[in-house]
Structures are given as structure tokens and as C-alpha cells.
Amino acid sequence: MGERRDEVQRWTTELTPKMEERLKVQMEKSHRFSVHYSSPSVYEVRSDFSYVVNISDHSCSCVKWQINCFPCPHGLATIQAASENVYDYIDKYFRVDMFKKSYSFPIRPITNVDMSSSESATDCILPPLTKRPPGRPRVKQFKSVGRLKRS
Ligand SMILES: [Zn+2]
């Protein structure tokens, strides 16, 4: 917790480093698509296949945007074509300020001095004492079908 809290102080980006790298990779992929306007917020993105992107719903027909809560290359191509800010369409949980909040409360270390001694921890636990009833143990038998017919 402490290491992560210190590490986040060095980050100067909007997203966490992993998400910034992901965005960079997805942005490179997004350049190979052509985007065509359909209706407000809805676009058709073409390459070998065609995809329907709705930027206000944060959705794409490839479904990766909905699953990852992070725009797919089709979504990023659309956001850029609509002259919008890409960061406005990325989930807040990928941002550095949310990461800071996650690790802002320290978890206090716990001492084990007051715990029981190590000798009792290695003692063997015996099974409970039970009394065996007198006589032979009862074995339940089921009569076979042939045996029932004769009698
Ligand atoms: Zn997509």
C-alpha cells in the first residue's frame, strides 16, 4: 500500500501508466479506419468489416468497448473524427486521481507479540473422545428383486 501510494506521486499523466500504454496502442490501431457519420453520436466505422459506434452510449458493435469500459480502436477513431477529447470517453477508474484515492488510506500493520506462543501452535489436535456402542456394527441390507418374488 505504501509503495503504491509513493509510486503514484511520480505519475504525471491523466491515466495510469498501463492505461496510457493501452491507449497509445489502441490509438495506433485506430488510424486504419474510415469513419462515416450516420446520426448524432452514431457512426459507421469501416475497414475490412463495418462497425456501428455510438459515442454517447460508449458502445461499439464489436462489444470490446462495453466489456473493457475502455474505447476500442473503432471507438477511438470515431471520437477523433467527432473532434472530441479521447480522455472524456475513458472510464474514471483508469485515471491517476482514482488510483490515488484507492491507496490514500493506509492499512495499519498488525503485531503478533500478543498472540499465543509458537509451542502451542505446533501441538497436535487429537480427535474427540467417543464411546463405541457394544455389539457388532449394524449393516443395513436391501432385499434383491428376485428374493422378493419368491416369498
Ligand atoms: Zn469496436
Side-chain angles (χ1 to χ4, degrees), residues 104-126:
S104 63
F105 300 102
I107 294 178
R108 300 202 182 279
I110 299 170
T111 180
N112 64 355
V113 171
D114 296 338
M115 292 181 154
S116 59
S117 69
S118 59
E119 286 177 20
S120 64
T122 57
D123 285 347
C124 185
I125 298 172
L126 297 171

mmCIF file with all atom_site columns, all heavy atoms in Angstrom, residues 104-126:
data_model
loop_
_atom_site.group_PDB
_atom_site.id
_atom_site.type_symbol
_atom_site.label_atom_id
_atom_site.label_alt_id
_atom_site.label_comp_id
_atom_site.label_asym_id
_atom_site.label_entity_id
_atom_site.label_seq_id
_atom_site.pdbx_PDB_ins_code
_atom_site.Cartn_x
_atom_site.Cartn_y
_atom_site.Cartn_z
_atom_site.occupancy
_atom_site.B_iso_or_equiv
_atom_site.pdbx_formal_charge
_atom_site.auth_seq_id
_atom_site.auth_comp_id
_atom_site.auth_asym_id
_atom_site.auth_atom_id
_atom_site.pdbx_PDB_model_num
ATOM 1   N N   . SER A 1 104 ? -5.102  5.973   -0.693 1.00 0.00 ? 104 SER A N   1
ATOM 2   C CA  . SER A 1 104 ? -4.921  7.116   0.202  1.00 0.00 ? 104 SER A CA  1
ATOM 3   C C   . SER A 1 104 ? -5.050  6.733   1.673  1.00 0.00 ? 104 SER A C   1
ATOM 4   O O   . SER A 1 104 ? -4.462  7.379   2.531  1.00 0.00 ? 104 SER A O   1
ATOM 5   C CB  . SER A 1 104 ? -5.906  8.225   -0.146 1.00 0.00 ? 104 SER A CB  1
ATOM 6   O OG  . SER A 1 104 ? -7.216  7.779   0.038  1.00 0.00 ? 104 SER A OG  1
ATOM 7   N N   . PHE A 1 105 ? -5.812  5.690   1.970  1.00 0.00 ? 105 PHE A N   1
ATOM 8   C CA  . PHE A 1 105 ? -5.985  5.277   3.367  1.00 0.00 ? 105 PHE A CA  1
ATOM 9   C C   . PHE A 1 105 ? -5.012  4.146   3.686  1.00 0.00 ? 105 PHE A C   1
ATOM 10  O O   . PHE A 1 105 ? -5.079  3.088   3.066  1.00 0.00 ? 105 PHE A O   1
ATOM 11  C CB  . PHE A 1 105 ? -7.425  4.813   3.619  1.00 0.00 ? 105 PHE A CB  1
ATOM 12  C CG  . PHE A 1 105 ? -8.430  5.881   3.342  1.00 0.00 ? 105 PHE A CG  1
ATOM 13  C CD1 . PHE A 1 105 ? -9.158  5.869   2.156  1.00 0.00 ? 105 PHE A CD1 1
ATOM 14  C CD2 . PHE A 1 105 ? -8.623  6.908   4.248  1.00 0.00 ? 105 PHE A CD2 1
ATOM 15  C CE1 . PHE A 1 105 ? -10.079 6.870   1.889  1.00 0.00 ? 105 PHE A CE1 1
ATOM 16  C CE2 . PHE A 1 105 ? -9.546  7.903   3.985  1.00 0.00 ? 105 PHE A CE2 1
ATOM 17  C CZ  . PHE A 1 105 ? -10.275 7.886   2.807  1.00 0.00 ? 105 PHE A CZ  1
ATOM 18  N N   . PRO A 1 106 ? -4.127  4.356   4.663  1.00 0.00 ? 106 PRO A N   1
ATOM 19  C CA  . PRO A 1 106 ? -3.160  3.291   4.961  1.00 0.00 ? 106 PRO A CA  1
ATOM 20  C C   . PRO A 1 106 ? -3.805  2.129   5.715  1.00 0.00 ? 106 PRO A C   1
ATOM 21  O O   . PRO A 1 106 ? -4.766  2.319   6.461  1.00 0.00 ? 106 PRO A O   1
ATOM 22  C CB  . PRO A 1 106 ? -2.134  4.009   5.839  1.00 0.00 ? 106 PRO A CB  1
ATOM 23  C CG  . PRO A 1 106 ? -2.874  5.134   6.462  1.00 0.00 ? 106 PRO A CG  1
ATOM 24  C CD  . PRO A 1 106 ? -3.932  5.541   5.490  1.00 0.00 ? 106 PRO A CD  1
ATOM 25  N N   . ILE A 1 107 ? -3.270  0.942   5.484  1.00 0.00 ? 107 ILE A N   1
ATOM 26  C CA  . ILE A 1 107 ? -3.658  -0.227  6.277  1.00 0.00 ? 107 ILE A CA  1
ATOM 27  C C   . ILE A 1 107 ? -2.589  -0.368  7.355  1.00 0.00 ? 107 ILE A C   1
ATOM 28  O O   . ILE A 1 107 ? -1.411  -0.520  7.047  1.00 0.00 ? 107 ILE A O   1
ATOM 29  C CB  . ILE A 1 107 ? -3.727  -1.502  5.411  1.00 0.00 ? 107 ILE A CB  1
ATOM 30  C CG1 . ILE A 1 107 ? -4.858  -1.371  4.394  1.00 0.00 ? 107 ILE A CG1 1
ATOM 31  C CG2 . ILE A 1 107 ? -3.923  -2.732  6.284  1.00 0.00 ? 107 ILE A CG2 1
ATOM 32  C CD1 . ILE A 1 107 ? -4.976  -2.552  3.460  1.00 0.00 ? 107 ILE A CD1 1
ATOM 33  N N   . ARG A 1 108 ? -3.006  -0.266  8.590  1.00 0.00 ? 108 ARG A N   1
ATOM 34  C CA  . ARG A 1 108 ? -2.033  -0.295  9.685  1.00 0.00 ? 108 ARG A CA  1
ATOM 35  C C   . ARG A 1 108 ? -1.500  -1.710  9.886  1.00 0.00 ? 108 ARG A C   1
ATOM 36  O O   . ARG A 1 108 ? -2.263  -2.672  9.902  1.00 0.00 ? 108 ARG A O   1
ATOM 37  C CB  . ARG A 1 108 ? -2.690  0.198   10.968 1.00 0.00 ? 108 ARG A CB  1
ATOM 38  C CG  . ARG A 1 108 ? -3.205  1.612   10.827 1.00 0.00 ? 108 ARG A CG  1
ATOM 39  C CD  . ARG A 1 108 ? -3.357  2.288   12.172 1.00 0.00 ? 108 ARG A CD  1
ATOM 40  N NE  . ARG A 1 108 ? -3.890  3.623   12.000 1.00 0.00 ? 108 ARG A NE  1
ATOM 41  C CZ  . ARG A 1 108 ? -3.170  4.689   11.666 1.00 0.00 ? 108 ARG A CZ  1
ATOM 42  N NH1 . ARG A 1 108 ? -1.885  4.555   11.472 1.00 0.00 ? 108 ARG A NH1 1
ATOM 43  N NH2 . ARG A 1 108 ? -3.733  5.864   11.540 1.00 0.00 ? 108 ARG A NH2 1
ATOM 44  N N   . PRO A 1 109 ? -0.168  -1.822  10.081 1.00 0.00 ? 109 PRO A N   1
ATOM 45  C CA  . PRO A 1 109 ? 0.411   -3.148  10.338 1.00 0.00 ? 109 PRO A CA  1
ATOM 46  C C   . PRO A 1 109 ? -0.083  -3.711  11.669 1.00 0.00 ? 109 PRO A C   1
ATOM 47  O O   . PRO A 1 109 ? -0.403  -2.946  12.582 1.00 0.00 ? 109 PRO A O   1
ATOM 48  C CB  . PRO A 1 109 ? 1.912   -2.880  10.380 1.00 0.00 ? 109 PRO A CB  1
ATOM 49  C CG  . PRO A 1 109 ? 2.115   -1.518  9.847  1.00 0.00 ? 109 PRO A CG  1
ATOM 50  C CD  . PRO A 1 109 ? 0.835   -0.782  10.012 1.00 0.00 ? 109 PRO A CD  1
ATOM 51  N N   . ILE A 1 110 ? -0.132  -5.048  11.772 1.00 0.00 ? 110 ILE A N   1
ATOM 52  C CA  . ILE A 1 110 ? -0.589  -5.704  12.995 1.00 0.00 ? 110 ILE A CA  1
ATOM 53  C C   . ILE A 1 110 ? 0.580   -6.469  13.609 1.00 0.00 ? 110 ILE A C   1
ATOM 54  O O   . ILE A 1 110 ? 1.265   -7.213  12.918 1.00 0.00 ? 110 ILE A O   1
ATOM 55  C CB  . ILE A 1 110 ? -1.748  -6.673  12.690 1.00 0.00 ? 110 ILE A CB  1
ATOM 56  C CG1 . ILE A 1 110 ? -2.915  -5.903  12.100 1.00 0.00 ? 110 ILE A CG1 1
ATOM 57  C CG2 . ILE A 1 110 ? -2.167  -7.426  13.945 1.00 0.00 ? 110 ILE A CG2 1
ATOM 58  C CD1 . ILE A 1 110 ? -4.007  -6.787  11.554 1.00 0.00 ? 110 ILE A CD1 1
ATOM 59  N N   . THR A 1 111 ? 0.773   -6.285  14.908 1.00 0.00 ? 111 THR A N   1
ATOM 60  C CA  . THR A 1 111 ? 1.838   -7.009  15.593 1.00 0.00 ? 111 THR A CA  1
ATOM 61  C C   . THR A 1 111 ? 1.340   -8.389  16.016 1.00 0.00 ? 111 THR A C   1
ATOM 62  O O   . THR A 1 111 ? 0.146   -8.577  16.230 1.00 0.00 ? 111 THR A O   1
ATOM 63  C CB  . THR A 1 111 ? 2.325   -6.205  16.817 1.00 0.00 ? 111 THR A CB  1
ATOM 64  O OG1 . THR A 1 111 ? 3.345   -6.945  17.443 1.00 0.00 ? 111 THR A OG1 1
ATOM 65  C CG2 . THR A 1 111 ? 1.204   -5.935  17.793 1.00 0.00 ? 111 THR A CG2 1
ATOM 66  N N   . ASN A 1 112 ? 2.263   -9.353  16.148 1.00 0.00 ? 112 ASN A N   1
ATOM 67  C CA  . ASN A 1 112 ? 1.856   -10.689 16.602 1.00 0.00 ? 112 ASN A CA  1
ATOM 68  C C   . ASN A 1 112 ? 2.469   -11.021 17.953 1.00 0.00 ? 112 ASN A C   1
ATOM 69  O O   . ASN A 1 112 ? 2.491   -12.171 18.351 1.00 0.00 ? 112 ASN A O   1
ATOM 70  C CB  . ASN A 1 112 ? 2.208   -11.738 15.555 1.00 0.00 ? 112 ASN A CB  1
ATOM 71  C CG  . ASN A 1 112 ? 3.695   -11.866 15.346 1.00 0.00 ? 112 ASN A CG  1
ATOM 72  O OD1 . ASN A 1 112 ? 4.480   -11.112 15.909 1.00 0.00 ? 112 ASN A OD1 1
ATOM 73  N ND2 . ASN A 1 112 ? 4.087   -12.820 14.532 1.00 0.00 ? 112 ASN A ND2 1
ATOM 74  N N   . VAL A 1 113 ? 2.930   -10.035 18.694 1.00 0.00 ? 113 VAL A N   1
ATOM 75  C CA  . VAL A 1 113 ? 3.546   -10.258 20.001 1.00 0.00 ? 113 VAL A CA  1
ATOM 76  C C   . VAL A 1 113 ? 2.535   -10.818 20.992 1.00 0.00 ? 113 VAL A C   1
ATOM 77  O O   . VAL A 1 113 ? 2.854   -11.699 21.773 1.00 0.00 ? 113 VAL A O   1
ATOM 78  C CB  . VAL A 1 113 ? 4.163   -8.930  20.533 1.00 0.00 ? 113 VAL A CB  1
ATOM 79  C CG1 . VAL A 1 113 ? 4.616   -9.083  21.977 1.00 0.00 ? 113 VAL A CG1 1
ATOM 80  C CG2 . VAL A 1 113 ? 5.306   -8.520  19.647 1.00 0.00 ? 113 VAL A CG2 1
ATOM 81  N N   . ASP A 1 114 ? 1.304   -10.341 20.963 1.00 0.00 ? 114 ASP A N   1
ATOM 82  C CA  . ASP A 1 114 ? 0.287   -10.778 21.919 1.00 0.00 ? 114 ASP A CA  1
ATOM 83  C C   . ASP A 1 114 ? -0.327  -12.123 21.572 1.00 0.00 ? 114 ASP A C   1
ATOM 84  O O   . ASP A 1 114 ? -1.104  -12.669 22.341 1.00 0.00 ? 114 ASP A O   1
ATOM 85  C CB  . ASP A 1 114 ? -0.837  -9.729  22.009 1.00 0.00 ? 114 ASP A CB  1
ATOM 86  C CG  . ASP A 1 114 ? -0.311  -8.419  22.567 1.00 0.00 ? 114 ASP A CG  1
ATOM 87  O OD1 . ASP A 1 114 ? 0.733   -8.453  23.250 1.00 0.00 ? 114 ASP A OD1 1
ATOM 88  O OD2 . ASP A 1 114 ? -0.936  -7.382  22.308 1.00 0.00 ? 114 ASP A OD2 1
ATOM 89  N N   . MET A 1 115 ? -0.007  -12.698 20.440 1.00 0.00 ? 115 MET A N   1
ATOM 90  C CA  . MET A 1 115 ? -0.607  -13.974 20.034 1.00 0.00 ? 115 MET A CA  1
ATOM 91  C C   . MET A 1 115 ? -0.024  -15.114 20.857 1.00 0.00 ? 115 MET A C   1
ATOM 92  O O   . MET A 1 115 ? 1.026   -14.981 21.482 1.00 0.00 ? 115 MET A O   1
ATOM 93  C CB  . MET A 1 115 ? -0.377  -14.219 18.557 1.00 0.00 ? 115 MET A CB  1
ATOM 94  C CG  . MET A 1 115 ? -1.143  -13.255 17.684 1.00 0.00 ? 115 MET A CG  1
ATOM 95  S SD  . MET A 1 115 ? -0.824  -13.648 15.977 1.00 0.00 ? 115 MET A SD  1
ATOM 96  C CE  . MET A 1 115 ? -2.299  -13.028 15.253 1.00 0.00 ? 115 MET A CE  1
ATOM 97  N N   . SER A 1 116 ? -0.675  -16.279 20.825 1.00 0.00 ? 116 SER A N   1
ATOM 98  C CA  . SER A 1 116 ? -0.213  -17.417 21.614 1.00 0.00 ? 116 SER A CA  1
ATOM 99  C C   . SER A 1 116 ? 1.181   -17.850 21.172 1.00 0.00 ? 116 SER A C   1
ATOM 100 O O   . SER A 1 116 ? 1.615   -17.569 20.069 1.00 0.00 ? 116 SER A O   1
ATOM 101 C CB  . SER A 1 116 ? -1.206  -18.566 21.470 1.00 0.00 ? 116 SER A CB  1
ATOM 102 O OG  . SER A 1 116 ? -1.297  -18.914 20.120 1.00 0.00 ? 116 SER A OG  1
ATOM 103 N N   . SER A 1 117 ? 1.873   -18.577 22.069 1.00 0.00 ? 117 SER A N   1
ATOM 104 C CA  . SER A 1 117 ? 3.256   -18.973 21.792 1.00 0.00 ? 117 SER A CA  1
ATOM 105 C C   . SER A 1 117 ? 3.325   -19.947 20.623 1.00 0.00 ? 117 SER A C   1
ATOM 106 O O   . SER A 1 117 ? 2.368   -20.621 20.281 1.00 0.00 ? 117 SER A O   1
ATOM 107 C CB  . SER A 1 117 ? 3.868   -19.602 23.033 1.00 0.00 ? 117 SER A CB  1
ATOM 108 O OG  . SER A 1 117 ? 3.253   -20.846 23.264 1.00 0.00 ? 117 SER A OG  1
ATOM 109 N N   . SER A 1 118 ? 4.521   -20.062 20.059 1.00 0.00 ? 118 SER A N   1
ATOM 110 C CA  . SER A 1 118 ? 4.698   -20.938 18.898 1.00 0.00 ? 118 SER A CA  1
ATOM 111 C C   . SER A 1 118 ? 4.615   -22.401 19.290 1.00 0.00 ? 118 SER A C   1
ATOM 112 O O   . SER A 1 118 ? 4.320   -23.255 18.481 1.00 0.00 ? 118 SER A O   1
ATOM 113 C CB  . SER A 1 118 ? 6.024   -20.634 18.218 1.00 0.00 ? 118 SER A CB  1
ATOM 114 O OG  . SER A 1 118 ? 7.082   -20.831 19.125 1.00 0.00 ? 118 SER A OG  1
ATOM 115 N N   . GLU A 1 119 ? 4.877   -22.749 20.583 1.00 0.00 ? 119 GLU A N   1
ATOM 116 C CA  . GLU A 1 119 ? 4.800   -24.150 21.014 1.00 0.00 ? 119 GLU A CA  1
ATOM 117 C C   . GLU A 1 119 ? 3.390   -24.697 20.895 1.00 0.00 ? 119 GLU A C   1
ATOM 118 O O   . GLU A 1 119 ? 3.181   -25.785 20.403 1.00 0.00 ? 119 GLU A O   1
ATOM 119 C CB  . GLU A 1 119 ? 5.266   -24.277 22.467 1.00 0.00 ? 119 GLU A CB  1
ATOM 120 C CG  . GLU A 1 119 ? 6.755   -24.150 22.633 1.00 0.00 ? 119 GLU A CG  1
ATOM 121 C CD  . GLU A 1 119 ? 7.173   -24.203 24.086 1.00 0.00 ? 119 GLU A CD  1
ATOM 122 O OE1 . GLU A 1 119 ? 6.395   -24.710 24.923 1.00 0.00 ? 119 GLU A OE1 1
ATOM 123 O OE2 . GLU A 1 119 ? 8.279   -23.726 24.375 1.00 0.00 ? 119 GLU A OE2 1
ATOM 124 N N   . SER A 1 120 ? 2.407   -23.916 21.361 1.00 0.00 ? 120 SER A N   1
ATOM 125 C CA  . SER A 1 120 ? 1.028   -24.406 21.309 1.00 0.00 ? 120 SER A CA  1
ATOM 126 C C   . SER A 1 120 ? 0.519   -24.488 19.871 1.00 0.00 ? 120 SER A C   1
ATOM 127 O O   . SER A 1 120 ? -0.367  -25.281 19.581 1.00 0.00 ? 120 SER A O   1
ATOM 128 C CB  . SER A 1 120 ? 0.112   -23.531 22.156 1.00 0.00 ? 120 SER A CB  1
ATOM 129 O OG  . SER A 1 120 ? 0.077   -22.241 21.604 1.00 0.00 ? 120 SER A OG  1
ATOM 130 N N   . ALA A 1 121 ? 1.097   -23.712 18.992 1.00 0.00 ? 121 ALA A N   1
ATOM 131 C CA  . ALA A 1 121 ? 0.661   -23.746 17.598 1.00 0.00 ? 121 ALA A CA  1
ATOM 132 C C   . ALA A 1 121 ? 1.072   -25.042 16.907 1.00 0.00 ? 121 ALA A C   1
ATOM 133 O O   . ALA A 1 121 ? 0.433   -25.486 15.976 1.00 0.00 ? 121 ALA A O   1
ATOM 134 C CB  . ALA A 1 121 ? 1.225   -22.556 16.847 1.00 0.00 ? 121 ALA A CB  1
ATOM 135 N N   . THR A 1 122 ? 2.159   -25.689 17.402 1.00 0.00 ? 122 THR A N   1
ATOM 136 C CA  . THR A 1 122 ? 2.613   -26.936 16.774 1.00 0.00 ? 122 THR A CA  1
ATOM 137 C C   . THR A 1 122 ? 2.023   -28.165 17.437 1.00 0.00 ? 122 THR A C   1
ATOM 138 O O   . THR A 1 122 ? 2.249   -29.272 16.985 1.00 0.00 ? 122 THR A O   1
ATOM 139 C CB  . THR A 1 122 ? 4.153   -27.026 16.819 1.00 0.00 ? 122 THR A CB  1
ATOM 140 O OG1 . THR A 1 122 ? 4.591   -26.921 18.170 1.00 0.00 ? 122 THR A OG1 1
ATOM 141 C CG2 . THR A 1 122 ? 4.792   -25.930 15.974 1.00 0.00 ? 122 THR A CG2 1
ATOM 142 N N   . ASP A 1 123 ? 1.305   -27.997 18.560 1.00 0.00 ? 123 ASP A N   1
ATOM 143 C CA  . ASP A 1 123 ? 0.675   -29.148 19.221 1.00 0.00 ? 123 ASP A CA  1
ATOM 144 C C   . ASP A 1 123 ? -0.289  -29.842 18.288 1.00 0.00 ? 123 ASP A C   1
ATOM 145 O O   . ASP A 1 123 ? -0.977  -29.216 17.501 1.00 0.00 ? 123 ASP A O   1
ATOM 146 C CB  . ASP A 1 123 ? -0.079  -28.695 20.480 1.00 0.00 ? 123 ASP A CB  1
ATOM 147 C CG  . ASP A 1 123 ? 0.883   -28.389 21.612 1.00 0.00 ? 123 ASP A CG  1
ATOM 148 O OD1 . ASP A 1 123 ? 2.067   -28.762 21.496 1.00 0.00 ? 123 ASP A OD1 1
ATOM 149 O OD2 . ASP A 1 123 ? 0.443   -27.776 22.599 1.00 0.00 ? 123 ASP A OD2 1
ATOM 150 N N   . CYS A 1 124 ? -0.339  -31.179 18.430 1.00 0.00 ? 124 CYS A N   1
ATOM 151 C CA  . CYS A 1 124 ? -1.231  -31.970 17.583 1.00 0.00 ? 124 CYS A CA  1
ATOM 152 C C   . CYS A 1 124 ? -2.640  -31.957 18.159 1.00 0.00 ? 124 CYS A C   1
ATOM 153 O O   . CYS A 1 124 ? -2.824  -32.096 19.373 1.00 0.00 ? 124 CYS A O   1
ATOM 154 C CB  . CYS A 1 124 ? -0.684  -33.388 17.520 1.00 0.00 ? 124 CYS A CB  1
ATOM 155 S SG  . CYS A 1 124 ? -1.579  -34.451 16.419 1.00 0.00 ? 124 CYS A SG  1
ATOM 156 N N   . ILE A 1 125 ? -3.612  -31.789 17.337 1.00 0.00 ? 125 ILE A N   1
ATOM 157 C CA  . ILE A 1 125 ? -5.007  -31.802 17.778 1.00 0.00 ? 125 ILE A CA  1
ATOM 158 C C   . ILE A 1 125 ? -5.526  -33.223 17.632 1.00 0.00 ? 125 ILE A C   1
ATOM 159 O O   . ILE A 1 125 ? -5.497  -33.810 16.539 1.00 0.00 ? 125 ILE A O   1
ATOM 160 C CB  . ILE A 1 125 ? -5.854  -30.819 16.957 1.00 0.00 ? 125 ILE A CB  1
ATOM 161 C CG1 . ILE A 1 125 ? -5.328  -29.401 17.161 1.00 0.00 ? 125 ILE A CG1 1
ATOM 162 C CG2 . ILE A 1 125 ? -7.319  -30.917 17.354 1.00 0.00 ? 125 ILE A CG2 1
ATOM 163 C CD1 . ILE A 1 125 ? -5.963  -28.371 16.269 1.00 0.00 ? 125 ILE A CD1 1
ATOM 164 N N   . LEU A 1 126 ? -5.988  -33.795 18.755 1.00 0.00 ? 126 LEU A N   1
ATOM 165 C CA  . LEU A 1 126 ? -6.469  -35.179 18.759 1.00 0.00 ? 126 LEU A CA  1
ATOM 166 C C   . LEU A 1 126 ? -7.947  -35.229 18.398 1.00 0.00 ? 126 LEU A C   1
ATOM 167 O O   . LEU A 1 126 ? -8.665  -34.253 18.598 1.00 0.00 ? 126 LEU A O   1
ATOM 168 C CB  . LEU A 1 126 ? -6.245  -35.788 20.148 1.00 0.00 ? 126 LEU A CB  1
ATOM 169 C CG  . LEU A 1 126 ? -4.779  -35.881 20.580 1.00 0.00 ? 126 LEU A CG  1
ATOM 170 C CD1 . LEU A 1 126 ? -4.696  -36.295 22.043 1.00 0.00 ? 126 LEU A CD1 1
ATOM 171 C CD2 . LEU A 1 126 ? -4.028  -36.866 19.696 1.00 0.00 ? 126 LEU A CD2 1
#
